[in-house]
Amino acid sequence: MRKKKNKHTLRNYTEKQRFLDKIDEQGRVPNDEELRTILRLCSDKNVCIRFEAASGLVYRYTPESEDVLLQMTYDKNMLVRVEAVDALCIGHKVATLKRLEELFQGTNYLTRGYSILSFFSVWLNCYGYNRESVAAYLAKTEKYRCKE
């Protein structure tokens, strides 16, 4: 059986950037093949490509994209980390809540701010929007909200 060829074989920075810009400009849900390409670009050596790839993952949730974004919160570049934290608003996993809560306590104000915003979205994705869930969220985040 032959291996399926990816039609999104991107050879250089310009091709990668054009691909990511097209997804972003159209603001549409990437298909499976495009999503695989975006996931691959999340580990690109170029900071700008990793940043844009993290941004592109917000258009379509998959457990794999959430895992990649979680990994990107450890990226060596601060802006990539911030973009990954922002894109994690699509998350559905308790592990994501734990990582975002760790980031509340960081020294970078952008990471802290975006982690608090994403935490709320992920909380709703995990626990729903009801009186009990919101009360638990407010109790859990009170000390962080007061700090910011």
Side-chain angles (χ1 to χ4, degrees):
M1 181 183 241
R2 284 181 15 173
K3 188 175 179 183
K4 187 177 177 184
K5 185 178 178 188
N6 184 346
K7 81 174 188 183
H8 297 290
T9 302
L10 308 170
R11 291 178 288 280
N12 59 46
Y13 172 83
T14 303
E15 289 180 2
K16 294 171 185 177
Q17 192 61 54
R18 282 189 186 138
F19 170 79
L20 292 167
D21 285 345
K22 182 178 131 192
I23 300 288
D24 188 49
E25 288 168 4
Q26 294 175 351
R28 65 177 173 76
V29 176
N31 63 39
D32 289 343
E33 189 174 325
E34 291 168 331
L35 182 62
R36 283 191 301 276
T37 301
I38 294 170
L39 289 167
R40 192 175 69 250
L41 292 175
C42 286
S43 60
D44 194 83
K45 64 182 176 188
N46 186 290
V47 170
C48 296
I49 297 299
R50 291 195 314 273
F51 176 89
E52 293 293 333
S55 178
L57 288 179
V58 79
Y59 293 113
R60 180 173 173 194
Y61 175 80
T62 67
E64 183 182 9
S65 61
E66 185 173 3
D67 291 341
V68 168
L69 287 168
L70 273 170
Q71 193 61 38
M72 292 179 83
T73 66
Y74 296 97
D75 194 276
K76 60 187 172 207
N77 181 275
M78 185 268 299
L79 290 176
V80 172
R81 290 191 307 268
V82 169
E83 189 60 34
V85 168
D86 186 32
L88 274 170
C89 67
I90 65 169
H92 289 76
K93 298 178 180 182
V94 173
T96 300
L97 289 173
K98 289 178 182 175
R99 176 63 180 144
L100 291 171
E101 192 171 3
E102 289 171 12
L103 294 169
F104 291 172
Q105 299 156 25
T107 57
N108 182 282
Y109 72 95
L110 286 172
T111 304
R112 279 196 321 268
Y114 282 106
S115 65
I116 290 168
L117 292 172
S118 288
F119 188 88
F120 180 69
S121 296
V122 177
W123 184 277
L124 294 180
N125 291 342
C126 287
Y127 302 113
Y129 186 70
N130 55 59
R131 184 169 296 190
E132 296 80 22
S133 167
V134 172
Y137 165 80
L138 291 172
K140 185 159 191 73
T141 61
E142 181 177 14
K143 65 183 174 186
Y144 304 115
R145 288 181 290 112
C146 293
K147 183 179 178 182
E148 289 301 315

